[in-house]
Amino acid sequence: MASIFSRIVAGEIPSWKVAEDGRFYAFLDINPLAEGHTLVIPKKEVDYIFDLDSETYSGLWEFAARVAKAIEAAIPCKRVGVAVLGMEVPHTHIHLVPLQTEGDLDFRKEKKQLTPERFAAIAASIASEFNKQ
Ligand code: 5GP
C-alpha cells in the first residue's frame, strides 16, 4: 500500500506544497514545531534514508539545501535545523525546522496550532523564495 506521503505526492491527499521537481517534493509538516517546518521527501518510496540509492540520497540533500535557503529567506530565524526520524511515517523524509533556539528542534514539545490560512500563507512565501532561485 502506498505511504501517506506517496499519496500526498500523487495529489490524493492535500498538502501545503513549497517545492517540487521530478524526483523530490517538499511540503509543510501538518504538526509543526515552528512556522515553516517543512518535510522534504524523495518521490521514490523508500522507508529508511540510509537505504536510498546514492544518487537519490545525494539529490535529496541537495534539494533540501535549496528548500532550506528558501525557508531562511521567508521565515525570520537564526538558521534552519535538520532532523531525520521516520518513527511515524515509513517514507524517507528530512525535517527542516526554522530555529530561534535549540529547543525549537525538540520533537517532544507541543506542536504549533495554525489555521489553514496561515499554513497556506507560509507555504506560498517559501514557494515564492524557492522559485526565485
Ligand atoms: P517521523 O516519521 O519523522 O517521526 O514523523 C512524521 C512527521 O510527518 C510528523 O512530524 C508528522 O506531523 C508529519 N505528518 C504525518 N502525517 C502527515 C500528513 O498527512 N501531512 C503532513 N503534511 N504531515 C504529516
Side-chain angles (χ1 to χ4, degrees):
M1 204 177 78
S3 76
I4 192 154
F5 290 170
S6 286
R7 297 185 65 203
I8 283 174
V9 171
E12 295 167 17
I13 295 174
S15 67
W16 282 286
K17 180 171 94 169
V18 305
E20 178 176 19
D21 72 4
R23 292 188 297 159
F24 306 107
Y25 191 90
F27 57 107
L28 297 182
D29 193 304
I30 199 83
N31 294 304
L33 287 167
E35 289 199 355
H37 180 170
T38 296
L39 302 175
V40 185
I41 67 171
K43 292 183 176 178
K44 182 188 285 188
E45 187 177 322
V46 172
D47 175 0
Y48 188 41
I49 191 167
F50 298 123
D51 286 335
L52 289 173
D53 63 83
S54 61
E55 196 184 329
T56 306
Y57 179 84
S58 46
L60 177 66
W61 284 107
E62 279 168 28
F63 191 78
R66 292 178 57 207
V67 174
K69 291 289 178 199
I71 294 172
E72 281 168 26
I75 308 282
C77 61
K78 290 195 172 153
R79 56 178 55 212
V80 171
V82 177
V84 178
L85 289 84
M87 306 303 285
E88 186 187 324
V89 179
H91 183 145
T92 294
H93 51 283
I94 296 172
H95 293 259
L96 298 177
V97 183
L99 302 179
Q100 295 298 343
T101 72
E102 66 179 30
D104 292 336
L105 205 48
D106 180 355
F107 280 81
R108 294 163 299 188
K109 79 174 194 182
E110 198 175 336
K111 307 301 186 292
K112 296 266 186 243
Q113 300 285 332
L114 303 178
T115 62
E117 292 75 22
R118 187 71 192 135
F119 273 115
I122 293 166
S125 65
I126 298 171
S128 162
E129 294 296 338
F130 187 85
N131 291 328
K132 285 181 199 164
Q133 290 174 2

